[in-house]
Amino acid sequence: QVHLVESGGGMVQAGDSLRLSCKFSAGSGRFFRNYEMAWFRRGPGKDRDFVAAIRYNGGSTDYADSVQGRFTISRDNTDDTLYLQMDNLIPEDTAVYYCAANLMTMSRSPAQYDNWGQGTQVTVSS
């Protein structure tokens, strides 16, 4: 079983930065370095939307158009942790942010991910 725990959310003003973390833990035989990872978010009254994804080895990344150039996804396979650096935040970034993991593919579709964290709230005021 895979366990994901997000942290780093908070309340900030427009233009500020935040860094989210997602700590991975799992049972025997399951290793963070084998998993494709992603961040999704759910804003007030909205569906869960793709934010960013990263290959198991960090060799490739993908970003939603809305965050391209402002957010950076990264991972530390020696520490089993996924990160999302969020710069120049805007009120539209207000959401609960979730990390997700799967063994098969780096994808923008939440349906491809079978392991989810509980989420961390990010609130951006104008």
Side-chain angles (χ1 to χ4, degrees):
Q1 182 178 355
V2 171
H3 190 49
L4 301 171
V5 179
E6 301 94 337
S7 62
M11 298 180 64
V12 296
Q13 293 188 327
D16 287 349
S17 298
L18 279 175
R19 189 192 197 200
L20 305 184
S21 299
C22 172
K23 184 68 175 178
F24 173 102
S25 61
S28 176
R30 300 176 188 267
F31 302 100
F32 178 69
R33 63 179 181 265
N34 294 335
Y35 282 79
E36 316 284 10
M37 301 295 297
W39 289 97
F40 291 82
R41 66 186 181 187
R42 187 191 299 273
K46 298 181 179 179
D47 294 330
R48 185 157 46 186
D49 293 329
F50 170 77
V51 175
I54 188 167
R55 289 299 309 277
Y56 68 97
N57 61 0
S60 180
T61 57
D62 184 27
Y63 295 92
D65 290 346
S66 59
V67 306
Q68 180 76 49
R70 300 188 298 120
F71 290 11
T72 303
I73 188 171
S74 63
R75 64 191 297 160
D76 184 347
N77 283 356
T78 67
D79 193 37
D80 295 350
T81 304
L82 175 73
Y83 299 100
L84 185 68
Q85 176 67 40
M86 305 187 295
D87 297 320
N88 194 21
L89 284 159
I90 60 178
E92 289 76 14
D93 294 322
T94 295
V96 178
Y97 284 72
Y98 301 89
C99 65
N102 85 80
L103 282 168
M104 301 302 292
T105 181
M106 187 178 77
S107 173
R108 294 187 170 202
S109 171
Q112 294 292 331
Y113 295 86
D114 47 10
N115 300 284
W116 293 84
Q118 83 291 344
T120 186
Q121 176 71 48
V122 172
T123 303
V124 185
S125 60
S126 58

